Amino acid sequence: MAYDTLIVEVEDYVSLIRLNRPDALNALNSKLMKELASAVQAADRDDNVRVIVLTGSEKAFAAGADVKEMAEKTFTEVYFDNLFGVEAEIIGQVRKPIIAAVSGYCLGGGCELAMLSDFIIASDTAKFGQPEINLGIVAGMGGTQRLTRFVGKSKSMDMHLTGRFMESAEAERCGLVSRVFPAKDLMTEVMKIADKIVEKSLLSSMAVKECVNRAQETTLAEGLLFERRVFHAMFATEDQKEGMAAFLEKRQPQFRDK
């Protein structure tokens, strides 16, 4: 499928989705978000995709939501349209692993979009921020909620109230970012990581995603029970038998997602 605001490539079981509004630093407008929701849904349904990589350009992952599009909107319009709400929910419900590869500016809605992924790999040029307060608004796609869960109340308050940017080294230290690489190596390293996930059982990958996400949504006791039941359920799969047999036989497993 052709998109106006995205470049999508599928190769070796990885769907690489690149935000493509270079003149606007990949600012998120309604069209981009609708196309992105469609693209990730398509990847989630595609048997030739096992991992999704979401990225932008070297200069900007996404520099925020498109202020030009939003500036004259009224409360009634954004409320009835549920601005960005439906698309964010669709992205958040994708069952296959999503990696955000972030270089340059990752601000406002861009930072919120990166946090909708399962983990973030950043370049040493990445800058994260939630500067909505400078526009007289607050984050609207999960920024106050997800950033607080990633970095804690104090840093989240600091970023939201002052609008300051967080560079990649600090983002890695406080748990927003998983790993940091030089900008020139970012996509090579991200694709290596994606390839590692491709090798695993997709059943296991999806189960891991469900379990880890549950940790943010419930109590420890309920989370442990959920994890244990998923662990038990995996013994009904052929991939569990193959994985354990391969371990005992000292060979590489050949998973079949069954």
Side-chain angles (χ1 to χ4, degrees):
M1 181 174 177
Y3 299 99
D4 293 330
T5 63
L6 308 173
I7 298 172
V8 180
E9 304 170 60
V10 177
E11 187 174 351
D12 297 331
Y13 297 99
V14 178
S15 177
L16 176 61
I17 302 175
R18 189 180 299 275
L19 308 184
N20 187 39
R21 294 191 70 212
D23 294 340
L25 294 178
N26 293 330
L28 310 179
N29 62 8
S30 297
K31 184 171 189 178
L32 185 150
M33 290 301 294
K34 285 182 172 62
E35 290 193 342
L36 181 58
S38 174
V40 296
Q41 279 187 319
D44 209 25
R45 294 191 297 261
D46 190 343
D47 291 340
N48 292 313
V49 173
R50 301 168 72 84
V51 181
I52 300 165
V53 173
L54 181 60
T55 192
S57 66
E58 287 190 17
K59 190 172 183 179
F61 176 79
D66 192 329
V67 178
K68 287 182 181 179
E69 182 182 73
M70 296 187 298
E72 299 302 320
K73 288 185 179 292
T74 66
F75 164 76
T76 304
E77 288 177 304
V78 298
Y79 180 76
F80 276 123
D81 290 345
N82 192 15
L83 185 63
F84 296 148
V86 172
E87 294 82 8
E89 288 177 9
I90 288 171
I91 296 165
Q93 290 168 1
V94 169
R95 301 179 72 195
K96 292 176 181 175
I98 303 176
I99 306 169
V102 174
S103 195
Y105 295 111
C106 185
L107 309 176
C111 188
E112 292 169 299
L113 178 58
M115 290 189 290
L116 274 167
S117 70
D118 295 308
F119 60 99
I120 301 170
I121 307 294
S123 80
D124 52 6
T125 66
K127 296 180 187 298
F128 299 86
Q130 297 286 169
E132 287 88 352
I133 198 164
N134 296 330
L135 303 174
I137 59 172
V138 302
M141 209 163 69
T144 61
Q145 305 304 301
R146 290 191 177 89
L147 187 64
T148 303
R149 284 166 169 78
F150 276 116
V151 305
K153 177 183 175 181
S154 184
K155 279 191 180 290
S156 181
M157 282 286 196
D158 178 10
M159 292 179 69
H160 282 284
L161 289 174
T162 67
R164 80 171 180 91
F165 297 169
M166 177 186 285
E167 296 190 356
S168 55
E170 181 183 1
E172 184 182 25
R173 285 198 307 272
C174 63
L176 177 59
V177 164
S178 175
R179 309 188 212 180
V180 176
F181 295 101
K184 64 182 177 61
D185 300 327
L186 177 65
M187 293 311 299
T188 299
E189 296 298 332
V190 167
M191 297 309 287
K192 288 179 183 177
I193 294 166
D195 289 342
K196 278 287 184 186
I197 299 172
V198 164
E199 295 173 0
K200 315 304 181 189
S201 163
L202 182 57
L203 287 170
S204 295
S205 295
M206 293 167 69
V208 165
K209 180 166 177 171
E210 287 186 1
C211 289
V212 174
N213 284 339
R214 183 60 64 97
Q216 291 188 310
E217 303 294 338
T218 191
T219 64
L220 177 60
E222 289 300 317
L224 289 170
L225 179 59
F226 181 83
E227 177 193 81
R228 194 172 306 118
R229 291 296 177 259
V230 174
F231 166 67
H232 292 160
M234 300 305 290
F235 282 76
T237 69
E238 293 180 17
D239 282 353
Q240 174 265 330
K241 300 296 184 290
E242 167 62 13
M244 292 191 177
F247 177 83
L248 294 173
E249 295 165 12
K250 296 181 172 55
R251 60 174 174 81
Q252 290 296 313
Q254 301 297 315
F255 293 120
R256 299 175 59 203
D257 305 328
K258 293 183 178 181

